[in-house]
Amino acid sequence: MEFTEDFDIVVIGAGHAGCEAALASARLGKKTALFTLSLDQIANLPCNPSIGGSAKGQLVSEIDALGGEMGRAADSNTIQSRMLNRGKGVAVHSLRVQIDRTSYHLDMKRVLENTDNLFLKQAEISEVIFNGNRVVGVKSATGSIYSAKAVIICTGTYLKGKIHIGELNYESGPENVRPSTHLSDCLKRAGIELRRFKTGTPARVHLRSIDFNILDVQKGEEPVPFVFASKEKIENKVDCYITYTNEKTHEIILDNLHRSPLYSGNIEGIGPRYCPSIEDKIVRFKDKDRHQIFIEPVGLNTCEMYIQGMSSSLPEDVQLKFYRTIKGLERVEFMRPAYAIEYDCCNPLDLRPTLEFINIEGLYGAGQFNGTSGYEEAAAQGLIAAINACRKIDGRSEVVLDRSTSYIGVLIDDLVTKGCNDPYRMMTSRSEYRLYIRQDNAAQRLMKIGHEIGLVSSERYEILSKEINEINDNIAYFKKKVLTPSRELNKMLVELGTSEISTGYKIADLLKRPQVHFSDLEEFDENIAKMSDRVRNAVEIEIKYEGYLKIQLEQIESMKKMEAKKLPENIDYKSISGLRLEAQEKLNKVKPINIGQASRISGVNPADVAVLLVWLTSFNGEQDE
């Protein structure tokens, strides 16, 4: 076979998964080709113009800590910043920023174009080429053939994409960009199970047609960067707005459900459970008399506004009618109608924790191709897939993040262990250890790994090391520093709603009171003001939640003991007596790498785990003889 060009790694698709995969691969020294159907769609935000959100903000900070790009691009193109869930505990604080959509795309495209070892190519990849069960290259729709030691599929919603607006449906990627029409057939021939998922997006409307004077305004907050030790100057440049659906809105939608492809049977794909269309919400939550709607700018140099919470696949005339029942949108003008889109994706149970296919060497999946939804989930998978592809090519141990280290670990473990029956979305509730894997400590948890991999510079890692020492020194200081009772101190404590002190009291013990924060104690110890905001926040969290963190770390140690019990790769679980039939089938499907992963598989119960532990002890004994 004659190749047009030779590459180490080929990445198919230049959305958020593809961008991270290609950049990581090239930065790790691999000659990398990034193929996209359109160079004008690189790092596109076809749905909401934002990065981050509940649990998603944690993912972006973790991507940054591992040496990825999304956080840097988000910081550079932020137009409004907010920390979600401030009224709740620190475990669920999550950064979310509005993004200038066009500048984000151009920024990421510029970075890709100027990265050594990275070759951007506009072409449709129609075929992955195999030699037995191993990837050897790809073929484009124009007939060019490229060799590759590894291929990462990041096709998003373009793979056999089909748009639905009422009775109208046609083959298309998002926003009427042509879809990838041939690759699915090749993957099916290779024995890959493809499924049909669906997502949707609301209308974009002209800002001149919105009555902002009668809407609730949502201002930005003091910006917090995604990037550790960032020097980027981030400013709030826009406002967002809130409004609500009403009884009339719901009436129009219910009267026209028969025209929705969701209910007429025209849509085969399964939609996202946690981000449903407006018609889905009204049918599922009948006792709710209104649903919250957010109105968000798409960018600084456009009149388009994004109507979050109003995703729909109803006909455009119906859309316009029910949009105009909403306060502030009575004279709304559509620039782009809402639509639903179906696409092909794989079954993530066919993937290893490295995101390589179990039965095809050198083929990796990432992003919506793996059954997820969301830019952040996609970017995280693209980064991990590329890291593992590079390390496998080099004959080095691959990287598997466990559930206690990161939300990325939770995301991938959920996918490859439990699978998904609808588009998977990351949420804080999915993590058992969310107090430990917080937004604020992503660098402390993961940057050492990013540095060892080779994606985080020594300079950046040195900054982190110094900061960790500073945090530890301050924790030790405040655990020893005693404040003596004074009129001023006791007055402040009473005003905060907590009790006075009558003897000397350590600052750390005062901080453990829910009502007391460092900001309340500044005048009583000059060292508090000397700490940077980031160090002060870290020290306060570690002290205030010390007891809870200790319990969580004990749980993590227990989990790690299970993760340390490795399972051989080529077990036929049907040969292990004592395992129930369902457990045998699920274990053979997933091929868990350790007892911990096996215990999380749906259909494997504690009795099955006990059988596995007995079998593994016997197996290891035989191997030692």
Side-chain angles (χ1 to χ4, degrees):
M1 184 182 299
E2 187 173 340
F3 293 107
T4 306
E5 199 169 352
D6 298 318
F7 292 98
D8 293 314
I9 293 179
V10 164
V11 180
I12 305 173
H16 304 283
C19 287
E20 293 292 349
L23 285 169
S25 171
R27 288 167 175 170
L28 290 173
K30 299 294 176 282
K31 186 180 178 184
T32 304
L34 175 57
F35 287 91
T36 174
L37 291 164
S38 171
L39 292 171
D40 298 324
Q41 296 294 307
I42 287 172
N44 185 28
L45 288 84
C47 199
N48 54 311
S50 67
I51 299 289
S54 185
K56 294 167 176 279
Q58 283 88 329
L59 285 173
V60 181
S61 293
E62 291 173 0
I63 290 166
D64 170 68
L66 290 170
E69 192 70 18
M70 175 175 266
R72 198 275 322 153
D75 286 350
S76 295
N77 298 284
T78 291
I79 57 178
Q80 192 199 73
S81 178
R82 290 178 62 83
M83 185 67 75
L84 305 185
N85 303 322
R86 281 194 186 273
K88 302 177 182 179
V90 293
V92 295
H93 289 181
S94 304
L95 181 60
R96 182 182 189 270
V97 298
Q98 295 300 133
I99 294 294
D100 186 307
R101 177 186 174 189
T102 301
S103 66
Y104 185 93
H105 149 70
L106 292 172
D107 186 341
M108 193 68 84
K109 184 170 183 281
R110 174 187 55 79
V111 170
L112 292 165
E113 290 173 340
N114 288 282
T115 297
D116 291 341
N117 301 318
L118 180 51
F119 300 82
L120 265 177
K121 295 182 179 293
Q122 180 170 293
E124 178 186 353
I125 295 301
S126 58
E127 188 177 340
V128 177
I129 303 170
F130 305 97
N131 182 4
N133 68 339
R134 177 173 178 77
V135 163
V136 295
V138 298
K139 182 178 181 180
S140 75
T142 59
S144 296
I145 301 175
Y146 305 89
S147 72
K149 298 171 185 173
V151 172
I152 306 172
I153 302 176
C154 308
T155 45
T157 60
Y158 289 86
L159 195 59
K160 282 284 179 78
K162 179 186 277 190
I163 280 180
H164 294 266
I165 305 174
E167 296 87 355
L168 173 69
N169 62 76
Y170 53 94
E171 290 187 355
S172 177
E175 300 181 312
N176 291 328
V177 174
R178 70 187 183 91
S180 172
T181 56
H182 303 292
L183 185 59
S184 286
D185 296 334
C186 163
L187 297 177
K188 288 176 182 176
R189 288 195 299 271
I192 293 173
E193 177 192 348
L194 292 183
R195 301 182 296 173
R196 203 77 173 144
F197 275 6
K198 184 255 341 168
T199 189
T201 189
R204 274 61 159 186
V205 308
H206 201 295
L207 66 82
R208 71 185 172 202
S209 65
I210 301 172
D211 187 353
F212 294 103
N213 295 321
I214 60 174
L215 298 179
D216 298 330
V217 66
Q218 188 179 55
K219 297 281 186 183
E221 300 173 345
E222 182 65 29
V224 176
F226 284 114
V227 172
F228 171 75
S230 171
K231 295 180 180 178
E232 181 81 42
K233 185 179 180 182
I234 304 172
E235 297 178 2
N236 289 306
K237 300 174 182 177
V238 298
D239 294 330
C240 296
Y241 299 86
I242 299 172
T243 186
Y244 299 88
T245 63
N246 54 58
E247 188 178 329
K248 185 63 177 174
T249 316
H250 299 188
E251 180 185 324
I252 292 171
I253 290 171
L254 290 172
D255 286 347
N256 287 276
L257 275 183
H258 63 284
R259 299 185 66 191
S260 167
L262 279 175
Y263 295 94
S264 67
N266 287 341
I267 289 182
E268 303 169 19
I270 301 168
R273 184 185 315 177
Y274 300 105
C275 189
S277 66
I278 189 63
E279 50 262 42
D280 243 2
K281 287 184 202 173
I282 290 166
V283 169
R284 285 164 55 186
F285 308 108
K286 291 181 180 176
D287 30 346
K288 244 189 140 174
D289 57 5
R290 69 176 192 171
H291 294 275
Q292 193 173 50
I293 305 298
F294 293 90
I295 301 177
E296 303 166 341
V298 170
L300 298 178
N301 299 303
T302 178
C303 292
E304 285 188 79
M305 303 292 285
Y306 179 85
I307 312 300
Q308 186 191 156
M310 292 287 277
S311 170
S312 178
S313 59
L314 283 162
E316 187 172 355
D317 63 303
V318 178
Q319 292 180 34
L320 192 60
K321 192 174 180 182
F322 70 72
Y323 268 65
R324 285 180 173 173
T325 65
I326 294 170
K327 181 180 176 181
L329 302 181
E330 292 86 352
R331 296 178 180 82
V332 75
E333 301 170 16
F334 278 12
M335 297 179 74
R336 310 184 200 218
Y339 63 86
I341 184 168
E342 288 184 285
Y343 54 95
D344 283 353
C345 58
C346 77
N347 183 346
L349 290 177
D350 291 337
L351 301 170
R352 303 178 190 276
T354 60
L355 297 182
E356 183 182 28
F357 275 84
I358 292 171
N359 296 321
I360 303 177
E361 193 172 353
L363 185 65
Y364 296 76
Q368 285 178 278
F369 177 71
N370 287 356
T372 59
S373 68
Y375 311 142
E376 303 81 4
E377 291 90 337
Q381 293 170 74
L383 178 62
I384 296 299
I387 289 170
N388 283 320
C390 292
R391 292 177 74 86
K392 182 162 187 175
I393 289 171
D394 291 341
R396 303 175 69 187
S397 61
E398 293 157 299
V399 173
V400 176
L401 302 177
D402 65 47
R403 301 180 71 89
S404 69
T405 62
S406 59
Y407 275 91
I408 297 176
V410 174
L411 163 66
I412 294 175
D413 184 65
D414 277 355
L415 288 174
V416 305
T417 302
K418 302 173 185 177
C420 57
N421 295 318
D422 51 69
Y424 177 102
R425 177 181 179 176
M426 178 50 70
M427 298 178 291
T428 53
S429 60
R430 294 192 189 273
S431 171
E432 310 93 313
Y433 313 113
R434 55 187 172 274
L435 181 58
Y436 179 67
I437 56 172
R438 305 182 307 275
Q439 171 97 43
D440 63 274
N441 69 354
Q444 296 173 46
R445 291 183 280 112
L446 295 176
M447 194 172 282
K448 181 180 180 182
I449 298 173
H451 181 245
E452 290 171 350
I453 289 167
L455 290 172
V456 172
S457 69
S458 296
E459 291 77 13
R460 268 194 99 196
Y461 186 56
E462 182 62 27
I463 293 170
L464 172 67
S465 300
K466 289 179 179 177
E467 186 168 292
I468 290 173
N469 290 335
E470 187 180 348
I471 290 167
N472 292 334
D473 289 346
N474 276 290
I475 289 172
Y477 169 79
F478 290 113
K479 281 186 173 182
K480 291 180 180 178
K481 175 66 176 180
V482 175
L483 294 181
T484 56
S486 68
R487 181 179 176 182
E488 293 78 10
L489 177 57
N490 279 329
K491 180 184 177 185
M492 181 269 295
L493 292 173
V494 170
E495 288 174 350
L496 290 174
T498 187
S499 59
E500 298 179 352
I501 62 172
S502 55
T503 61
Y505 220 84
K506 293 175 182 176
I507 289 180
D509 291 333
L510 281 175
L511 275 176
K512 288 181 180 179
R513 298 184 179 187
Q515 305 91 335
V516 182
H517 301 278
F518 266 137
S519 56
D520 304 310
L521 300 173
E522 280 192 44
E523 64 179 285
F524 304 102
D525 187 279
E526 62 182 11
N527 288 301
I528 294 173
K530 292 179 181 178
M531 292 184 287
S532 68
D533 290 343
R534 195 167 59 243
V535 168
R536 178 155 74 168
N537 184 57
V539 172
E540 180 167 331
I541 290 171
E542 291 295 324
I543 291 174
K544 192 174 285 291
Y545 292 91
E546 182 180 33
Y548 298 104
L549 284 167
K550 183 180 178 182
I551 292 170
Q552 197 143 100
L553 287 170
E554 289 171 356
Q555 294 170 342
I556 289 170
E557 282 306 308
S558 177
M559 183 272 290
K560 284 185 179 295
K561 289 178 182 178
M562 296 287 277
E563 302 284 325
K565 298 180 186 298
K566 303 296 182 183
L567 288 165
E569 193 169 315
N570 298 316
I571 308 173
D572 180 0
Y573 289 93
K574 289 182 179 178
S575 68
I576 301 178
S577 61
L579 285 177
R580 294 173 308 109
L581 181 60
E582 182 185 10
Q584 290 175 347
E585 291 174 350
K586 292 290 182 70
L587 289 162
N588 272 329
K589 174 70 174 174
V590 176
K591 294 290 184 184
I593 61 175
N594 56 52
I595 294 289
Q597 186 189 359
S599 71
R600 294 188 293 274
I601 297 172
S602 174
V604 176
N605 66 27
D608 298 315
V609 174
V611 170
L612 280 178
L613 284 168
V614 171
W615 177 88
L616 187 61
T617 300
S618 173
F619 176 83
N620 287 336
E622 291 174 5
Q623 296 296 108
D624 292 339
E625 291 177 0

